[in-house]
Amino acid sequence: MQPTAWHAHERASLVHALTQAGPDAPTLCDGWQTRHLAAHMILREHQPWTQAGANGGPLHDWSDARLQDLAATALAPGGYAALLARIEQAPASWSPWSWAGNLVNLVEYFVHTEDVRRGTWVAGPGGSGGAGERSRDLSPGLQDALWSQLRRGARLFYRRSPVGVVLVVPGGPRLAVKAPPTRPTDDGRLPGTVVVTGEVGELVLHAFGRGRHAGLTLQGDAADRAALDAVVPGPRSGG
């Protein structure tokens, strides 16, 4: 049996969120409005070579110029709708994203959908974005698919954590991601473990640096929570 194409479901969710927000809405991606995020998704799938400097390095300015140029087309009449229509299109058969399916596309589309939804909420009147009240009601199948991807990549996502990390879904699965270091810190303290608890989607957002805007609780020594927060931001309350 073929796995459910949840990435296609989340592609549609992203297009819907972008449509509702319009081209000038804020997102959780620093410096990006919705038109920039739309441009990023198009370049990622249809012109992947333009992403060579997306994460920094000597080609950063070149990659950013490609994104800015495409995002600017959204300001022309019908331009934003044209961008969204391109996002709806599956990538060409030669693109690595055409066969990657849920493995690399599901979390990308889920997180960026929430970047749009929660970015608009945070910027709105009285918005704080810290408690996750605006989280979607995800189907059990989608939650299972997201948890599968989170399990697969958790050690990579939390590789910089200076403390132990355990992820917990209330009433659901639990994942010991990283054991605490056995060597004491410079001040002689032995690091402990932080338990991050939340629904699957909220845990995914935490792993991808959006924890400030996710519904989570963090349990552990205050110093350990602060140490984790420095590399993987969590709720401002600290749990």
Side-chain angles (χ1 to χ4, degrees):
M1 179 182 296
Q2 292 293 323
T4 301
W6 288 110
H7 61 95
H9 179 278
E10 287 306 287
R11 180 192 295 270
S13 295
L14 176 58
V15 171
H16 176 74
L18 288 168
T19 301
Q20 293 294 106
D24 299 317
T27 74
L28 297 185
C29 301
D30 287 345
W32 282 5
Q33 294 173 297
T34 40
R35 64 177 181 271
H36 300 99
L37 198 153
H40 162 70
M41 297 307 296
I42 293 167
L43 294 174
R44 173 183 180 266
E45 290 196 331
H46 298 282
Q47 299 179 36
W49 58 89
T50 64
Q51 302 298 286
N55 295 318
L59 294 177
H60 172 73
D61 289 347
W62 179 80
S63 291
D64 186 62
R66 305 288 80 72
L67 184 142
Q68 296 294 339
D69 288 347
L70 183 57
T73 67
L75 302 178
Y80 188 60
L83 291 183
L84 301 191
R86 292 184 67 184
I87 295 175
E88 287 183 305
Q89 298 174 3
S93 59
W94 51 262
S95 171
W97 312 124
S98 67
W99 47 263
N102 290 343
L103 185 62
V104 298
N105 291 322
L106 171 58
V107 170
E108 179 84 6
Y109 274 97
F110 174 79
V111 170
H112 282 323
T113 297
E114 296 306 310
D115 284 337
V116 175
R117 296 180 65 257
R118 302 187 193 211
T120 302
W121 170 35
V122 170
S128 65
E133 289 95 342
R134 296 294 179 93
S135 60
R136 287 182 286 159
D137 185 14
L138 307 181
S139 70
L142 178 53
Q143 292 184 57
D144 288 346
L146 287 169
W147 179 255
S148 177
Q149 297 308 310
L150 183 58
R151 282 181 59 90
R152 189 184 301 270
R155 289 186 179 180
L156 175 63
F157 305 148
Y158 290 95
R159 67 191 182 281
R160 296 175 55 224
S161 173
V163 299
V165 178
V166 175
L167 305 180
V168 178
V169 178
R174 177 186 183 97
L175 177 64
V177 177
K178 187 173 185 176
T182 57
R183 293 183 178 182
T185 60
D186 292 341
D187 61 2
R189 189 181 66 86
L190 193 63
T193 293
V194 175
V195 178
V196 185
T197 302
E199 297 300 330
V200 176
E202 308 304 300
L203 293 175
V204 169
L205 292 177
H206 184 261
F208 278 78
R210 277 72 165 179
R212 289 279 188 265
H213 311 286
L216 301 163
T217 59
L218 274 65
Q219 296 174 297
D221 184 84
D224 292 327
R225 286 188 280 117
L228 177 61
D229 189 78
V231 295
V232 185
R236 295 187 185 281
S237 63

